[in-house]
Amino acid sequence: MRTMRIHSGVRGLVRAGSVPLLLLVAAGAAQAAGPDLQYVGRDDRVHGLSAPQGCVEASGGGSRAVTNSTRGTATFYREPGCAGHPVAVLQPGAVGQIKPYFASVRFPVTTTAQRP
């Protein structure tokens, strides 16, 4: 059995464009306990949102790989406050790159009565 070690070379992988594969691996391992939406920001850091609803600001400004592990569609906007036209939409369970960047994300609002 092989183990994967993540070290300071991750930053080089981020710049080299290997982030989607890295996030896919991380998303698979984090499905049960990680954030519902993960993305790599323009600050080269991995950010996560847990149980997001409505319009959420993207701390660090997303510009690279995104993993949507929520139960709803994530709609990405270039402007803060989910203003302007959407730049991308990711369905539940999808992984993708949002280019050139996004500053906010809108999620469906789920009330307690709607949750299974």
Side-chain angles (χ1 to χ4, degrees):
M1 176 183 234
R2 294 179 70 182
T3 59
M4 183 177 182
R5 295 175 75 189
I6 299 176
H7 52 82
S8 61
V10 171
R11 180 162 284 199
L13 289 173
V14 168
R15 290 192 181 114
S18 299
V19 174
L21 178 61
L22 183 62
L23 273 182
L24 281 173
V25 171
Q31 280 280 10
D36 297 316
L37 184 93
Q38 274 191 309
Y39 63 93
V40 178
R42 294 190 290 180
D43 57 3
D44 287 337
R45 293 185 179 176
V46 177
H47 298 270
L49 302 172
S50 296
Q53 292 188 16
C55 182
V56 180
E57 298 301 313
S59 174
S63 67
R64 300 184 193 238
V66 179
T67 301
N68 181 10
S69 297
T70 68
R71 293 184 178 190
T73 300
T75 305
F76 298 86
Y77 295 84
R78 197 170 289 160
E79 302 298 324
C82 299
H85 297 288
V87 294
V89 175
L90 275 182
Q91 298 300 319
V95 176
Q97 283 190 293
I98 312 301
K99 291 187 176 185
Y101 65 91
F102 62 95
S104 56
V105 188
R106 180 171 300 284
F107 298 92
V109 176
T110 306
T111 65
T112 305
Q114 293 175 318
R115 291 187 181 145

